[in-house]
Amino acid sequence: MIHSLFLINASGDIFLEKHWKSVVSRSVCDYFFEAQERATEPENVPPVIPTPHHYLISVLRHRIYFVAVIQSEVPPLFVIEFLHRVVDTFQDYFGVCTEAAIKDNVVVVYELLEEMLDNGFPLATESNILKELIKPPTILRTMVNTITGSTNVGEQLPTGQLSVVPWRRTGVKYTNNEAYFDVVEEIDAIIDKSGSTITAEIQGVIDACVKLTGMPDLTLSFMNPRLLDDVSFHPCVRFKRWEAERILSFIPPDGNFRLLSYHVSSQNLVAIPVYVKHNITFREGSSQGRFDLTLGPKQTMGKAVESVLVSSQLPRGVLNANLNPSQGAYTFDPVTKLLTWDVGKINPQKLPNLKGTMNLQAGASKPDENPTINIQFKIQQMAISGLKVNRLDMYGEKYKPFKGIKYMTKAGKFQVRT
Amino acid sequence: MLESNKESLKLEAMKRIVGLISKGKNASELFPAVVKNVASKNIELKKLVYVYLVRYAEEQQDLALLSISTFQRALKDPNQFIRASALRVLSSIRVPIIVPIMMLAIKEAASDLSPYVRKTSAHAIQKLFSLDPDQKEQLIEVIEKLLKDKSTLVAGSVVVAFEEVCPDRIDLIHKNFRKLCNLLVDVEEWGQVVIINMLTRYARTQFTSPWREDAMFDENNEKAFYDSDSEEKKGQADVKTYIMDPDHRLLLRNTKPLLQSRNTAVVMAVAQLYWHLAPKHEVSIVTKSLVRLLRSHREVQYVVLQNIATMSIQRKGMFEPYMKSFYVRSTDSTHIKTLKLEILTNLANEANISTILREFQTYVKSQDKAFAAATIQAIGRCATNISEVTDTCLNGLVLLLSNRDESVVAESVVVIKKLLQTQPNQHSDIISHMAKLFDNITVPMARASILWLMGEYCERVPKIAPDVLRKMAKTFTVEEDIVKLQTVNLAAKLFLTNSKQTKLLTQYILNLGKYDQNYDIRDRTRFIRQLIVPSEKSSTLNKYARRILLASKPAPVLESAFKDRDRFQLGTLSHSLNIKTSGYQELSEWPAVAPDPSVRNVEVIEPVKEWAPSVGKAKQSKSEDKFYSDDEEKEENASDSSSSDDSDSSSSSSEESGSESEEESNEESEKTSSDSGKSSSESETEPKNNSKKATRKKKPADSDSDESDSKASSSSAESSSSSVSDSDDDSEPPAPQKKSNVKARPKVEVKSKKEVSLLDLDDFSPAPMNAPKPSVFSPSLLSDLEGLSLSNVSSAMQVTTPSFGPMKTFELLHHMTGKGLSAKYHFPRQPCLYQPSMVSVQVILTNGSDHTLEEIHVGDRSPASLHIHCFNTIERLEPRASVTVSMGIDFSDSTQAANFQLCTKEDQFSVSIQPAVGELLMPSTMTEADFCKEQKKLLGMNETSATITMTTANTSSQTINKQVLSVANVGVAPSSQNNFHRFAGRTVSSGALVLVSLELKESSSALLTINTEKSIMASMLLQDLKQALTEA
């Protein structure tokens, strides 16, 4: 399966390598660098690269390439999924997954990788189990360790590895028993020039933070489960129960986890919460272009649209932009030609507007395509699909937990073509 | 520092060394110093030393041997964790000398008690194999052993080892196929991927193709499978139509829930399994899940899109509804864009082409020029595939010719060229338009294409072509090679068609070409000159020059780059790269005739002892399966010998059982045909159906019928075993066999119920069922579907086997009196989960009102001493909704009603549950000898008896059993005499024995005797039984 792993940073240095079988020379990465050179953007490096003796499967996250070397047939998704899981674990352990963090914690990283794969086959990837095997570094623990010389390696085989509920360890204790659920929905949409929706879908997730004592058994039911078209569950959810009654019944893992991700059925019309009025023109012959952009809320059920961020990749010919925002601040990077406008909150009374001129390269012809505009926003306390949690019950334990449910709508890949 | 005495210093040193290793620096000279610490007590230090050892042992083999003894010691450690990690490291040290040691360690670990260690040994197998392939035979033995393992932990790893070491030994899988299918859901996700891929391959060799051109078969098959109790449809099932092997169906059904996995690799694996194995119309269920994966990371998208691209070529319909999900976003990376484009092109048809073309128009304007060019190609493909839009596309492309971007124009020219070739007749205006543009286009490929077009259709544009040639003659020397070649071609063609005007020009160009730097062009020029310029020597060729050069050329076919990728299994690396990677296993074609399905039947070794009261989960599971087959057998032979007496029927069953190991579906149809015919057999099956329906009420739709189906299929697996046991029994007197025969039914029933509840963990009883089990016992427990269903219960009560009865439902609260709330109850005859002395009662609460009822709970009870385990408060009950809750009531062996109050938020209703006396019993199993012994102890006061007259129809043993069991929850005890029936039970609360015996006498009279300490119960029970036996 997975032979070796190389971590390569943005400048092309291999800063970590790990081998699970015999050592593969790092020169194998030359093929990767070749492909990297050929690709114009870092994202354009193909995820699967064949070389004469090996195959390289790479994943790019946090500007680090995780390159896995494999020697024989294996489903590529298997490797890709695993690499992403590795990144998630690092993030979980160190807070961020950067080159510096990995270098600082190289021993923990090595111990983790050792546990996660045996002979190239995933062994323990569940973060609960890993955390019992290898305690995550915290400032306090580092200090204690340096003073007392104790270790951050667990002494015991984690019970989870062997128990019926591998995702939860036994003997969890909290003084405050809480269970929080965040229903987060993202709207993916493409809006065309005239403002009509070309495609719009809602994808949602329910992230949970459960801190409950003992072995609680939770059930979560929805007011309108029919909305959920396609779902994927955390392994803890009992699938049969969902099939039969549309109720989520599960023994939760301890801490943060993603309970469910879902897709709202495409039959439902998607309410688009913002609209954009735009007027971006370039005139033939002149070295000036006009830029005028107005945002406004629509169909938000009275909730405020917050943390709005507009970004747009302007055509290559644009030298500079002289714009005037009615609120927030804008930046234009003349090298990457990326225009970003941090709008903040949309005030329905006074719609935010960005207006001004763009300077074009002298003599360059008029760009033949207008830039697309990407919009990010957040709406608190609302799930745009209308999904509502009906109730949350706990069985199996005596105490009364504190329960909380939060809704939020975000823009996913929200694009406006101009 | 490594030499230091202090652990912390050593640790620090090791950390630095690991840092060196991670950077790829050589730290091998420290080997002797490091290896000393292998026996350290400090776990972290030890682990780091392991890391070091594994990395450098190969280079320093002699020194590495020093550490071996430490591992050997650790392999015997009582802690499973240490055993496992020792094995891991030992097997990771790639030193050939220790192969025998490793082999020994693996063999030992493979039979370790801890599944974790067994899992490690499965991994070690692969390592040893790669180190020394000569060990293959021995390793296969170990694999074979581990394949039999029932732990979910081991399953994934051992299949990996199987794939690595002996992927061609398909025969090892046969016996484990069903187990793997059943375990699949519980295996960890990485194991799932491997197992699914392996099973795909397996299935392709073992089952026949479900892809016949027979529209009927699946319908039929489906029904036959799901409604195993709907008789008529099955009866119609034609023998000749394709019937899917039940194992094939089992595989498909068990993998389906995994589509919901969060692991993309699992979803993809299931998708490819369906693609390669499922009947065509079922494949489309994977679509939704695949589209969902597109939300994932870029790399995942890439692989998934590749697979969708391949699928969409063959099956447009699958992805058409999701077309919009493939619309390109400007933020996608280039290879994702191109893949999406590919899919959109594949999906294009007459209906949606206009939408797609409109979308393409946006893409053409993209700033990403490579992508724009790809779009133009895509338009070209759409145009050739869908003839209706060819003209529209062509016009659109011509418009693009005036685009300012060169690459776009060039691409359009190339595509137009290809398009024109397919229908050259009408488009001379386009050619002339292109000629006009010729001056502005500088991309060589485009120029060459235009020149080629001119030459090819020079007769249609007689005026322009020579002019273009004239221009070319001027610039010939500065053109690119490809353009030069086409110029020479054009010149030659014009010379042949229009030699008057172009003779000189041609001469001139040929001369230029003759002295070109490129030898290709020189060659071409020489060849053309010989061909077209008339001279004495080359007269033969000369004649044919026209035919050679102006032959009509076949139009190029524009097709997908993914066209030929379907030769690879989807989801594989080979498919992704479109090259055969090392270690790729071809999917075989479907066999024309399925190999013998009976190889998958699992043999049972100790079939006779099954009834021993000892509890072992393996045995339990076997016995269950046996029940099933017995059940079927019985139904079969019931029809055979409906009028003959009992012993006859049971012996016939053993004869018949031999045939059962054949296809289950056959068996089923057989069964049904026999069922439908005769009335006695009908009465036989009815209660079963009834109670099945009852279970279904609790769990809507097919989930439980699924369950029982899967059981049913596994029963056929076990049927061979049952036949063994039956024939064993044959030599004995027929009575014990009848016992097993009769017992079969009760168990079946209970089991299907129980299974539902256990799989979902809390269908009936929300609270305590899913409490975690002690860890040693549980993984395998959970894993083993069959083992799980009963062992759980039987550990608590050894002798009892819950019995079945037609589920009678009683009214607890009418909806009129309950202001909308209605309640019904019945006795599920399960051992109560809360306390063994309680009788479990299931209450179905229904809200018949039009408003929501809140806080339904149990209030005051009377008598006050009454022990009731209440159900948890139901916070809300929506109108028209109903909920099933279970309670436990300790009736203290009296039929006194349990009165309590059922409260809602607003109201309180007094209700009472009055148990029939038969419900206060638990079945108990005992041998005939025990029965007689106990009966002797309970004579005199404790004996109650009556003589009853029975109708002749009632005298068969089945009906008697049925009648008795319907009244009382007792177990059937064996009886060696035909005219003697024995039943045994215990009261729930006090556990007093209740023995029922029925002696048949001449002229349909019978003596019914009940022996028990509880004389009141005895008389009541006698009444009930008497009524039941005489009436029905």
Side-chain angles (χ1 to χ4, degrees):
Chain A
M1 294 253 157
I2 297 171
H3 239 258
S4 306
L5 176 71
F6 293 98
L7 267 56
I8 300 173
N9 64 13
S11 52
D13 296 328
I14 304 171
F15 66 92
L16 191 122
E17 62 179 68
K18 169 91 181 107
H19 308 277
W20 283 275
K21 299 184 182 177
S22 45
V23 179
V24 178
S25 160
R26 56 165 66 192
S27 62
V28 75
C29 291
D30 292 347
Y31 294 101
F32 178 79
F33 294 134
E34 229 171 77
Q36 198 183 7
E37 252 169 58
R38 241 177 287 135
T40 44
E41 308 257 320
E43 286 88 28
N44 285 351
V45 180
V48 186
I49 303 167
T51 75
H53 299 291
H54 300 90
Y55 306 96
L56 306 178
I57 295 185
S58 64
V59 154
L60 172 69
R61 274 180 73 181
H62 309 285
R63 296 162 53 78
I64 300 172
Y65 288 102
F66 293 76
V67 184
V69 182
I70 50 174
Q71 215 156 23
S72 59
E73 173 64 49
V74 61
L77 269 184
F78 183 94
V79 182
I80 290 171
E81 178 77 22
F82 175 77
L83 291 177
H84 281 298
R85 214 55 84 74
V86 170
V87 182
D88 292 341
T89 312
F90 287 172
Q91 216 165 1
D92 199 26
Y93 265 73
F94 314 128
V96 282
C97 181
T98 59
E99 187 183 350
I102 293 174
K103 275 184 172 167
D104 287 348
N105 296 295
V106 75
V107 175
V108 180
V109 166
Y110 240 68
E111 285 168 347
L112 277 176
L113 290 176
E114 189 72 31
E115 287 303 330
M116 290 178 87
L117 279 183
D118 182 13
N119 196 34
F121 186 76
L123 195 61
T125 47
E126 198 64 51
S127 99
N128 273 297
I129 295 175
L130 283 172
K131 279 189 178 161
E132 272 182 82
L133 283 168
I134 301 150
K135 305 237 166 37
T138 58
I139 294 172
L140 185 70
R141 188 169 297 123
T142 338
M143 278 176 50
V144 170
N145 282 356
T146 38
I147 295 163
T148 62
S150 61
T151 68
N152 56 358
V153 176
E155 312 259 319
Q156 293 282 308
L157 173 64
T159 46
Q161 191 81 301
L162 294 171
S163 81
V164 197
V165 264
W167 53 87
R168 190 176 179 95
R169 63 201 159 94
T170 45
V172 186
K173 270 214 166 63
Y174 288 102
T175 40
N176 294 326
N177 289 299
E178 317 164 301
Y180 296 108
F181 293 87
D182 291 358
V183 180
V184 182
E185 297 197 331
E186 294 194 355
I187 307 178
D188 287 358
I190 302 179
I191 313 282
D192 79 352
K193 216 178 254 181
S194 57
S196 57
T197 313
I198 293 180
T199 139
E201 324 178 281
I202 300 173
Q203 312 273 350
V205 293
I206 298 183
D207 283 330
C209 175
V210 177
K211 292 180 174 172
L212 297 174
T213 308
M215 261 307 161
D217 191 344
L218 303 181
T219 55
L220 186 78
S221 61
F222 298 103
M223 302 276 254
N224 36 11
R226 283 184 183 284
L227 276 176
L228 307 185
D229 183 33
D230 184 40
V231 283
S232 82
F233 299 119
H234 190 274
C236 68
V237 177
R238 294 177 189 118
F239 182 68
K240 284 268 157 66
R241 192 86 193 272
W242 169 256
E243 286 274 278
E245 305 169 52
R246 299 273 143 181
I247 285 176
L248 293 176
S249 154
F250 55 98
I251 296 175
D254 189 32
N256 294 313
F257 65 101
R258 174 156 296 177
L259 177 65
L260 163 80
S261 49
Y262 59 88
H263 178 99
V264 174
S265 52
S266 41
Q267 282 84 17
N268 296 40
L269 274 183
V270 178
I272 303 290
V274 291
Y275 70 88
V276 181
K277 270 196 231 158
H278 52 80
N279 182 13
I280 303 171
T281 48
F282 302 97
R283 242 173 304 146
E284 195 69 61
S286 96
S287 63
Q288 291 257 310
R290 276 212 350 249
F291 190 97
D292 188 349
L293 193 72
T294 309
L295 292 173
K298 106 181 168 187
Q299 294 172 308
T300 61
M301 298 177 229
K303 301 284 193 309
V305 184
E306 291 169 19
S307 353
V308 181
L309 186 74
V310 177
S311 63
S312 176
Q313 181 79 44
L314 297 185
R316 234 163 287 152
V318 177
L319 270 186
N320 213 339
N322 250 325
L323 304 173
N324 201 359
S326 71
Q327 76 180 72
Y330 85 98
T331 54
F332 177 72
D333 186 339
V335 182
T336 58
K337 315 288 181 202
L338 187 70
L339 174 79
T340 47
W341 176 29
D342 191 351
V343 185
K345 196 168 162 182
I346 294 182
N347 180 358
Q349 272 74 49
K350 190 170 166 293
L351 296 177
N353 169 269
L354 183 69
K355 200 171 177 180
T357 55
M358 293 174 288
N359 297 319
L360 294 169
Q361 222 160 7
S365 56
K366 154 182 176 295
D368 46 28
E369 192 204 24
N370 277 332
T372 51
I373 298 166
N374 296 307
I375 301 176
Q376 282 162 27
F377 56 82
K378 268 185 204 163
I379 305 170
Q380 302 280 2
Q381 298 156 18
M382 180 183 85
I384 195 87
S385 66
L387 186 77
K388 268 225 147 49
V389 173
N390 183 15
R391 52 182 293 133
L392 176 71
D393 295 310
M394 188 181 73
Y395 304 101
E397 294 289 333
K398 294 274 180 287
Y399 55 83
K400 272 269 173 207
F402 185 81
K403 304 177 258 190
I405 288 165
K406 203 169 82 181
Y407 297 93
M408 185 158 72
T409 300
K410 287 202 293 193
K413 296 169 179 168
F414 196 97
Q415 294 198 339
V416 182
R417 292 174 178 166
T418 59
Chain B
M1 284 198 325
L2 283 168
E3 311 287 340
S4 149
N5 289 328
K6 272 185 147 177
E7 293 252 299
S8 58
L9 275 178
K10 282 184 185 172
L11 195 58
E12 187 58 32
M14 273 319 293
K15 281 185 176 171
R16 289 195 195 168
I17 293 172
V18 167
L20 283 179
I21 297 174
S22 75
K23 290 196 187 71
K25 300 214 171 85
N26 191 358
S28 58
E29 65 266 29
L30 298 166
F31 200 91
V34 174
V35 108
K36 271 185 230 160
N37 290 312
V38 75
S40 163
K41 288 275 178 296
N42 183 321
I43 291 196
E44 182 165 25
L45 182 58
K46 207 172 188 167
K47 274 197 171 176
L48 295 180
V49 174
Y50 285 178
V51 168
Y52 183 90
L53 255 182
V54 172
R55 172 73 178 74
Y56 287 112
E58 225 168 342
E59 295 169 28
Q60 311 254 347
Q61 307 209 343
D62 296 341
L63 285 170
L65 292 179
L66 293 176
S67 61
I68 302 298
S69 63
T70 321
F71 296 124
Q72 279 179 305
R73 220 175 309 130
L75 281 172
K76 304 265 180 326
D77 198 282
N79 185 337
Q80 48 177 346
F81 188 31
I82 293 181
R83 285 202 303 275
S85 75
L87 181 60
R88 262 180 77 182
V89 182
L90 181 65
S91 54
S92 301
I93 296 175
R94 290 168 293 273
V95 180
I97 307 170
I98 62 161
V99 165
I101 302 178
M102 271 163 79
M103 195 65 223
L104 213 68
I106 290 174
K107 278 185 177 163
E108 226 159 84
S111 44
D112 199 287
L113 277 180
S114 154
Y116 185 69
V117 178
R118 294 202 297 270
K119 184 188 176 80
T120 321
S121 78
H123 288 172
I125 291 173
Q126 310 157 45
K127 297 182 207 167
L128 181 54
F129 179 68
S130 65
L131 185 65
D132 183 5
D134 295 342
Q135 305 289 323
K136 189 171 174 180
E137 286 313 311
Q138 289 193 54
L139 288 175
I140 290 177
E141 276 170 37
V142 183
I143 290 176
E144 193 173 359
K145 183 172 168 193
L146 284 173
L147 274 172
K148 293 198 183 106
D149 203 300
K150 283 208 161 67
S151 164
T152 49
L153 215 53
V154 185
S157 302
V158 71
V159 171
V160 178
F162 171 83
E163 289 280 64
E164 196 122 319
V165 178
C166 51
D168 44 347
R169 289 288 304 276
I170 276 272
D171 54 306
L172 295 182
I173 302 298
H174 291 324
K175 295 246 179 290
N176 301 296
F177 176 81
R178 290 182 187 139
K179 188 198 72 193
L180 284 174
C181 285
N182 286 328
L183 289 186
L184 199 53
V185 185
D186 297 317
V187 175
E188 35 92 36
E189 43 196 2
W190 308 107
Q192 287 173 347
V193 180
V194 185
I195 296 177
I196 292 172
N197 281 326
M198 188 273 291
L199 289 179
T200 312
R201 223 154 37 76
Y202 176 82
R204 274 301 265 271
T205 60
Q206 299 299 318
F207 305 130
T208 48
S209 168
W211 300 338
R212 304 242 182 98
E213 300 297 310
D214 189 357
M216 273 284 288
F217 69 86
D218 271 311
E219 278 290 288
N220 252 332
N221 174 43
E222 200 94 310
K223 274 172 191 148
F225 221 89
Y226 285 117
D227 320 340
S228 48
D229 43 8
S230 79
E231 253 90 90
E232 297 152 315
K233 279 162 191 158
K234 252 188 308 164
Q236 292 164 4
D238 191 358
V239 190
K240 278 177 193 165
T241 54
Y242 164 82
I243 291 167
M244 190 186 270
D245 190 298
D247 289 327
H248 192 171
R249 172 55 63 195
L250 175 74
L251 174 62
L252 290 178
R253 192 175 40 233
N254 280 355
T255 48
K256 193 178 162 195
L258 296 179
L259 280 175
Q260 245 77 33
S261 170
R262 64 170 170 169
N263 188 322
T264 55
V266 176
V267 178
M268 190 65 232
V270 179
Q272 65 85 17
L273 180 127
Y274 264 80
W275 177 255
H276 290 294
L277 296 182
K280 295 284 189 203
H281 66 102
E282 279 176 49
V283 177
S284 49
I285 62 163
V286 306
T287 316
K288 215 189 271 179
S289 307
L290 283 181
V291 173
R292 186 188 70 229
L293 298 189
L294 296 181
R295 282 278 298 173
S296 193
H297 297 286
R298 174 183 72 96
E299 297 84 4
V300 176
Q301 283 185 38
Y302 174 73
V303 178
V304 173
L305 284 171
Q306 279 185 328
N307 287 298
I308 293 181
T310 308
M311 290 174 158
S312 62
I313 291 175
Q314 288 183 30
R315 305 280 306 274
K316 283 187 187 188
M318 251 175 93
F319 291 96
E320 219 190 302
Y322 296 91
M323 196 176 75
K324 288 191 172 174
S325 306
F326 303 110
Y327 280 4
V328 175
R329 294 164 195 283
S330 59
T331 41
D332 289 336
S333 65
T334 308
H335 47 252
I336 293 196
K337 284 180 187 166
T338 13
L339 279 170
K340 282 186 172 174
L341 202 60
E342 177 72 40
I343 294 169
L344 283 177
T345 320
N346 289 339
L347 292 182
N349 58 21
E350 286 82 359
N352 58 22
I353 184 68
S354 58
T355 338
I356 289 184
L357 279 183
R358 207 174 316 129
E359 191 63 20
F360 281 175
Q361 275 169 20
T362 339
Y363 301 162
V364 168
K365 290 189 215 142
S366 161
Q367 291 177 24
D368 185 344
K369 290 307 163 202
F371 173 57
T375 310
I376 294 168
Q377 297 242 3
I379 295 176
R381 265 183 56 202
C382 288
T384 41
N385 293 342
I386 301 161
S387 49
E388 283 92 334
V389 292
T390 311
D391 289 342
T392 336
C393 290
L394 212 47
N395 290 336
L397 288 173
V398 172
L399 283 183
L400 283 179
L401 290 177
S402 51
N403 195 298
R404 218 170 306 106
D405 190 88
E406 243 175 38
S407 56
V408 172
V409 177
E411 200 65 43
S412 336
V413 170
V414 176
V415 172
I416 289 176
K417 178 198 121 187
K418 286 181 185 164
L419 278 182
L420 285 185
Q421 251 182 295
T422 57
Q423 34 172 237
N425 302 326
Q426 18 203 244
H427 298 296
S428 53
D429 52 332
I430 293 177
I431 298 176
S432 51
H433 181 70
M434 282 163 68
K436 274 180 219 148
L437 287 171
F438 187 72
D439 291 339
N440 302 325
I441 295 171
T442 53
V443 178
M445 188 61 207
R447 284 175 79 90
S449 294
I450 295 181
L451 287 176
W452 187 88
L453 270 178
M454 292 290 154
E456 194 64 25
Y457 306 115
C458 51
E459 280 162 339
R460 293 210 178 72
V461 284
K463 296 211 174 109
I464 304 167
D467 199 41
V468 172
L469 187 64
R470 184 182 55 80
K471 279 185 196 160
M472 283 314 297
K474 271 195 239 167
T475 56
F476 187 82
T477 44
V478 293
E479 294 291 350
E480 289 278 331
D481 291 343
I482 184 170
V483 186
K484 285 179 184 170
L485 279 179
Q486 287 308 327
T487 316
V488 174
N489 265 350
L490 174 65
K493 285 173 186 166
L494 281 178
F495 182 82
L496 288 175
T497 54
N498 189 359
S499 57
K500 251 185 249 160
Q501 274 186 316
T502 54
K503 191 169 183 186
L504 284 173
L505 270 174
T506 311
Q507 290 285 352
Y508 176 64
I509 286 169
L510 287 179
N511 278 334
L512 283 177
K514 195 172 171 187
Y515 299 108
D516 199 88
Q517 282 179 330
N518 187 308
Y519 52 80
D520 247 359
I521 296 168
R522 291 202 299 273
D523 281 354
R524 178 71 66 89
T525 320
R526 228 167 279 143
F527 161 69
I528 296 281
R529 186 188 289 277
Q530 292 301 320
L531 195 61
I532 57 171
V533 181
S535 64
E536 294 83 44
K537 283 178 225 165
S538 58
S539 53
T540 32
L541 262 183
N542 218 334
K543 277 186 230 158
Y544 297 106
R546 200 182 170 89
R547 270 213 241 162
I548 290 171
L549 284 176
L550 293 176
S552 65
K553 284 134 190 117
V557 185
L558 296 173
E559 62 184 15
S560 167
F562 284 82
K563 188 89 185 161
D564 58 341
R565 287 220 183 172
D566 54 352
R567 66 199 158 111
F568 294 114
Q569 186 177 356
L570 284 183
T572 58
L573 187 61
S574 307
H575 173 269
S576 195
L577 293 168
N578 202 15
I579 42 176
K580 195 167 185 255
T581 57
S582 63
Y584 174 74
Q585 306 270 334
E586 293 267 356
L587 263 189
S588 61
E589 285 301 312
W590 294 102
V593 181
D596 183 15
S598 62
V599 289
R600 284 185 293 280
N601 294 346
V602 183
E603 277 164 27
V604 181
I605 306 115
E606 3 168 46
V608 191
K609 287 187 205 156
E610 276 166 12
W611 292 96
S614 73
V615 179
K617 77 179 152 59
K619 281 183 199 162
Q620 283 284 353
S621 68
K622 280 171 212 153
S623 54
E624 270 156 47
D625 287 324
K626 184 171 184 299
F627 298 150
Y628 265 99
S629 46
D630 272 352
D631 190 28
E632 280 168 28
E633 266 168 53
K634 192 176 58 182
E635 285 179 27
E636 258 175 70
N637 61 49
S639 62
D640 285 346
S641 56
S642 55
S643 54
S644 63
D645 68 0
D646 302 341
S647 64
D648 205 342
S649 77
S650 54
S651 64
S652 80
S653 86
S654 61
E655 283 164 345
E656 288 226 352
S657 56
S659 68
E660 293 220 349
S661 55
E662 281 159 37
E663 273 213 320
E664 195 226 4
S665 41
N666 276 342
E667 201 174 286
E668 267 183 355
S669 59
E670 222 175 295
K671 189 179 75 191
T672 35
S673 58
S674 63
D675 274 353
S676 52
K678 301 180 184 154
S679 60
S680 68
S681 62
E682 218 151 51
S683 71
E684 188 59 46
T685 48
E686 227 152 61
K688 183 181 158 203
N689 291 349
N690 277 347
S691 44
K692 240 184 200 161
K693 275 166 206 152
T695 18
R696 202 165 291 174
K697 258 180 234 157
K698 273 164 269 145
K699 276 212 70 182
D702 38 29
S703 65
D704 72 335
S705 71
D706 266 15
E707 221 81 81
S708 50
D709 279 349
S710 77
K711 287 286 87 175
S713 64
S714 67
S715 76
S716 80
E718 310 290 315
S719 55
S720 66
S721 73
S722 69
S723 69
V724 174
S725 76
D726 281 348
S727 51
D728 276 0
D729 285 350
D730 227 14
S731 54
E732 295 166 16
Q737 204 197 348
K738 189 179 66 190
K739 163 214 83 186
S740 74
N741 216 351
V742 170
K743 196 138 232 172
R745 209 152 31 116
K747 216 130 189 211
V748 171
E749 199 38 57
V750 164
K751 215 192 54 53
S752 71
K753 263 185 260 160
K754 194 136 288 164
E755 196 168 273
V756 171
S757 70
L758 269 169
L759 275 186
D760 300 327
L761 289 168
D762 51 4
D763 212 27
F764 296 92
S765 50
M769 292 284 291
N770 36 24
K773 310 292 171 314
S775 59
V776 206
F777 194 44
S778 33
S780 48
L781 193 152
L782 182 87
S783 65
D784 187 345
L785 200 86
E786 292 145 17
L788 171 134
S789 46
L790 270 183
S791 56
N792 211 0
V793 182
S794 49
S795 63
M797 35 209 76
Q798 299 212 341
V799 278
T800 56
T801 44
S803 168
F804 107 111
M807 204 81 76
K808 277 185 205 143
T809 308
F810 309 94
E811 184 113 288
L812 187 62
L813 181 64
H814 192 261
H815 72 269
M816 295 303 283
T817 39
K819 299 188 184 164
L821 179 71
S822 70
K824 290 179 176 170
Y825 70 96
H826 62 87
F827 298 95
R829 293 197 175 175
Q830 288 167 305
C832 182
L833 301 153
Y834 311 109
Q835 267 181 40
S837 66
M838 287 183 173
V839 176
S840 65
V841 180
Q842 282 197 4
V843 184
I844 304 163
L845 298 163
T846 313
N847 185 355
S849 68
D850 49 2
H851 57 272
T852 311
L853 292 171
E854 289 178 336
E855 288 179 31
I856 302 170
H857 61 277
V858 174
D860 295 338
R861 52 200 84 161
S862 79
S865 61
L866 184 71
H867 289 292
I868 296 185
H869 184 100
C870 310
F871 51 88
N872 289 343
T873 302
I874 297 161
E875 310 257 324
R876 288 170 73 84
L877 191 61
E878 300 291 337
R880 310 270 158 246
S882 72
V883 61
T884 307
V885 292
S886 67
M887 303 173 63
I889 302 176
D890 189 348
F891 288 106
S892 315
D893 292 344
S894 80
T895 52
Q896 195 185 358
N899 298 309
F900 56 91
Q901 284 186 317
L902 200 59
C903 311
T904 64
K905 201 176 180 186
E906 297 93 21
D907 297 293
Q908 299 184 332
F909 312 104
S910 294
V911 293
S912 76
I913 292 180
Q914 170 124 38
V917 64
E919 303 296 343
L920 301 176
L921 302 175
M922 280 186 309
S924 126
T925 315
M926 51 175 59
T927 61
E928 190 174 6
D930 281 344
F931 189 94
C932 295
K933 208 169 82 191
E934 293 294 335
Q935 201 173 20
K936 292 221 176 72
K937 289 183 192 164
L938 295 166
L939 292 174
M941 277 265 294
N942 297 331
E943 189 174 83
T944 326
S945 62
T947 310
I948 52 171
T949 320
M950 291 165 66
T951 48
T952 38
N954 274 354
T955 48
S956 77
S957 85
Q958 277 102 344
T959 31
I960 290 176
N961 288 337
K962 204 185 80 185
Q963 291 300 340
V964 173
L965 294 181
S966 70
V967 170
N969 188 15
V970 288
V972 183
S975 164
S976 53
Q977 289 141 282
N978 274 333
N979 56 351
F980 227 89
H981 298 279
R982 295 192 165 102
F983 306 91
R986 283 177 187 278
T987 60
V988 172
S989 296
S990 57
L993 265 181
V994 178
L995 306 174
V996 179
S997 50
L998 183 72
E999 193 183 350
L1000 295 178
K1001 295 187 171 156
E1002 294 86 50
S1003 69
S1004 71
S1005 70
L1007 180 67
L1008 183 65
T1009 318
I1010 295 177
N1011 302 66
T1012 179
E1013 290 169 358
K1014 306 263 171 185
S1015 48
I1016 308 167
M1017 283 184 83
S1019 58
M1020 289 167 78
L1021 191 58
L1022 190 69
Q1023 278 301 315
D1024 287 355
L1025 284 174
K1026 211 167 144 186
Q1027 198 178 358
L1029 287 170
T1030 45
E1031 268 180 12

